[in-house]
Amino acid sequence: KEEEGGLRFGQHWVPESHVFYRSESGLSSAIVNLRPIVPGHVLVLSSAIVPRVSDLDEAASADLWKTVKAVSKVVEEVYGAEGLNIAIQDGRAAGQSVAHVHVHILPRNSQDGNGNDGIYDKIEAFDGTPDRNAPPPPPKPKLTIPPDAERFDRTSDEMAQEAISLAQRFVAVPASAE
């Protein structure tokens, strides 16, 4: 499989047809997700196959975040999102299922449901106000995350079509066409 292109994601091989972005330096890439929580849930990976963010060198870390920024903008536009969840599960204790640094990007809108992890409830409830006597902020809509048993692998063709759609957004316009 590796001879056909693609990239390694921890112990998994991702076919080239599921890769929609590679940074100029080659230090990071973006792939579509096998089991997205919401449409447009994608992953940005470091080319360094290391388990923790602290294991990345400075160049890989900077490139990863530059790629997150570029991919986030496209995902937000393509999926009509009002915002994004950008998350890293850094280590097994944080819920990391693949021991390879990767960033989840999930497009969000104000009406996409409820049911976040408790930690997100706490983060969303904190508004940064030092006055602990201030009234709590109004409740916010929360993302409904289906149980793993209700999330199924997408077909390779479905994933390839999404990757093509996203990749087209990164194609540079030739100078003569401007």
Side-chain angles (χ1 to χ4, degrees):
K1 284 184 174 182
E2 294 185 29
E3 303 82 43
E4 299 170 11
L7 55 83
R8 179 137 322 272
F9 175 37
Q11 69 273 28
H12 306 286
W13 185 253
V14 177
E16 188 64 32
S17 62
H18 299 174
V19 178
F20 66 89
Y21 180 83
R22 290 182 188 269
S23 67
E24 285 184 32
S25 68
L27 295 175
S28 56
S29 302
I31 64 173
V32 295
N33 198 328
L34 179 64
R35 288 186 173 180
I37 292 173
V38 295
H41 175 187
V42 300
L43 304 175
V44 174
L45 321 175
S46 171
S47 295
I49 303 173
V50 297
R52 304 291 304 273
V53 171
S54 60
D55 296 329
L56 294 172
D57 65 27
E58 291 303 314
S61 180
D63 193 74
L64 180 74
W65 290 107
K66 183 177 178 183
T67 299
V68 166
K69 183 177 176 181
V71 169
S72 293
K73 181 176 180 179
V74 167
V75 166
E76 194 163 2
E77 290 171 2
V78 168
Y79 291 92
E82 297 169 30
L84 301 165
N85 282 117
I86 299 173
I88 296 177
Q89 296 162 310
D90 194 33
R92 182 177 284 272
Q96 185 183 43
S97 59
V98 177
H100 182 159
V101 173
H102 60 285
V103 180
H104 295 259
I105 300 175
L106 292 85
R108 299 291 306 271
N109 66 58
S110 59
Q111 303 302 315
D112 63 8
N114 57 39
N116 276 335
D117 284 343
I119 190 69
Y120 292 114
D121 292 337
K122 291 177 184 176
I123 290 169
E124 288 180 1
F126 179 73
D127 66 357
T129 306
D131 180 2
R132 297 292 174 222
N133 296 321
K140 300 174 185 174
K142 297 175 190 137
L143 179 64
T144 300
I145 301 175
D148 280 344
E150 294 177 17
R151 291 174 50 213
F152 301 99
D153 292 358
R154 296 190 299 163
T155 68
S156 183
D157 286 344
E158 289 171 324
M159 294 172 69
Q161 287 303 312
E162 182 182 23
I164 289 167
S165 173
L166 290 167
Q168 291 171 344
R169 299 300 293 257
F170 291 98
V171 176
V173 177
S176 61
E178 293 179 348

